Amino acid sequence: MTRSVSLILALLVSLANLAGVATAQSVQTIAAVVNDEIISNYDLQQRVRLVVSSSGADPSGQVADQLKSQILESLIDERLQIQEAFRLNIAITEQEVDGAVRFIEEQNKMPEGNLAKLLDSQGVSVTSLQDQLRAQIAWSKVVGQRLRPRVVVGPDEIETLVERLKSGGRIEHLTSEIFLAFSDQNAAIRRDVTANAETLIVQLRGGASFPILAQQFSQAVSAAEGGDLGWISGAELPDAAGPALETLDINQISDPIVTRDGVYILQVRDRRRFAAIDPEQVTVTLKQIFIPLKADADDGAIESQMALARTIGGTVRGCEDFDTLSTEMGSPESGDLGRVKVSDTPTQFREAILTLDVGVASVPVRTEDGIHVLMVCDREQPEVPEPDRKAIENSIGQARLSMLARRYLRDLRRDAVVDVR
């Protein structure tokens, strides 16, 4: 269980400001019914207090009211998740929930049992936290059992993204996300979800904890990690989210990023750049075989010499073999060109030189004077770290798993009987 330590640290500081015991009326009144299971206004009140206090959001009644509808939606989703786990005979034991609570206590160096006592002393039921942990454990098991086996990331997908990142250099962002899904494409639902995202953004920009709000509201798989996506490139995010990532300053909270499936809120916590190969920084030991062409050479003569150059490139092996053939060709411009910066070579040479393996002849390169076959016999260039293939695989897999989990929950919601009072 990887709950953020800041959850309880914030609770310790601010629960006292929000304490209060619900009235008997709030216990008895109903906020929603989910397949015949009741969510009371007391449940809702307790979760609002837990969210506002633990996240550091503005504790005013207005903010609580703005968050209440989204919190109720989260409570409804939690009931559906637990019900689905029960349907699949997936057990969530009290020992697991107690273990999650104990983990939080250990992370905060609290004696066992002190968290429940602290919450109780402030008039906030520990049951609200336990219910949330129970739903998270249940859904994690459901997703792991039903969906994770279906997520396969092929080597070709990984290599395609690796090559894309390597070809032009890359920028990686240490990224956090909150994702609010559209339950369907109804225009009113899209407006409501976007409005909820804007409320969260106001709180985040006012200093609320991104990890806590992600844990409470995000519908991505990363919610369990406080929205943490790790180091990713913009190419690893869908739709408009990737380009938006590139424009954010460090620690800036994005505007709502509306995509086909929902709304993203992004934060870049750090950024690192990996440059593409810079010709100014590459030095090679270069050899060439030069085949001259007359200024008035016709197409037939040019094609004949090009065929000769292709034959040379296809048969010569290694620099010694290249030297021998260069001598045999008898062209005074053939031979060793010495150590040169790639940036100092003719423009036509550069792409061939940068992509050549050491000891391999190039394809023919045509210039005004003739045809060149090049060979790099040594290369010095700064190392550009390879993209982390495992991280890319995990990123693609997590995005796919999040999409499947959202669809699964959307289908549960569609088939459920939900009555919001």
Side-chain angles (χ1 to χ4, degrees), residues 148-208:
R148 195 172 294 279
R150 295 165 51 187
V151 176
V152 178
V153 181
D156 55 331
E157 296 178 86
I158 300 170
E159 288 305 315
T160 297
L161 188 51
V162 166
E163 291 306 314
R164 179 178 171 185
L165 294 173
K166 287 168 61 177
S167 63
R170 69 187 189 276
I171 302 174
E172 292 184 347
H173 317 267
L174 187 59
T175 307
S176 296
E177 68 170 349
I178 293 173
F179 181 77
L180 306 181
F182 299 137
S183 57
D184 64 42
Q185 295 302 315
N186 178 281
I189 289 176
R190 292 173 65 91
R191 285 195 300 270
D192 288 346
V193 172
T194 303
N196 286 332
E198 290 169 347
T199 298
L200 293 177
I201 288 168
V202 169
Q203 296 307 306
L204 291 166
R205 289 175 176 170

Side-chain angles (χ1 to χ4, degrees), residues 250-303:
I250 302 300
N251 293 323
Q252 181 183 357
I253 305 297
S254 73
D255 292 330
I257 303 166
V258 180
T259 68
R260 181 176 59 85
D261 295 322
V263 182
Y264 283 90
I265 303 169
L266 299 177
Q267 181 185 39
V268 174
R269 310 194 314 271
D270 201 356
R271 181 174 281 126
R272 60 190 183 189
R273 301 174 187 272
F274 299 91
I277 296 174
D278 180 359
E280 292 286 345
Q281 303 300 319
V282 180
T283 301
V284 296
T285 299
L286 189 64
K287 298 178 185 292
Q288 79 165 346
I289 291 174
F290 178 69
I291 303 172
L293 286 172
K294 293 180 180 180
D296 60 351
D298 59 25
D299 291 345
I302 293 172
E303 179 53 36

Side-chain angles (χ1 to χ4, degrees), residues 12-58:
L12 298 178
V13 172
S14 59
L15 270 175
N17 296 326
L18 296 163
V21 180
T23 65
Q25 182 182 5
S26 70
V27 175
Q28 294 169 0
T29 56
I30 296 173
V33 180
V34 184
N35 292 329
D36 296 329
E37 287 193 20
I38 292 173
I39 299 173
S40 72
N41 277 303
Y42 174 75
D43 298 328
L44 179 57
Q45 178 193 60
Q46 290 290 301
R47 184 61 65 84
V48 169
R49 289 180 175 179
L50 186 62
V51 170
V52 172
S53 62
S54 62
S55 68
D58 183 350

Side-chain angles (χ1 to χ4, degrees), residues 321-334:
D321 197 10
F322 196 88
D323 283 338
T324 300
L325 186 56
S326 175
T327 301
E328 292 176 357
M329 293 290 294
S331 170
E333 295 185 48
S334 297

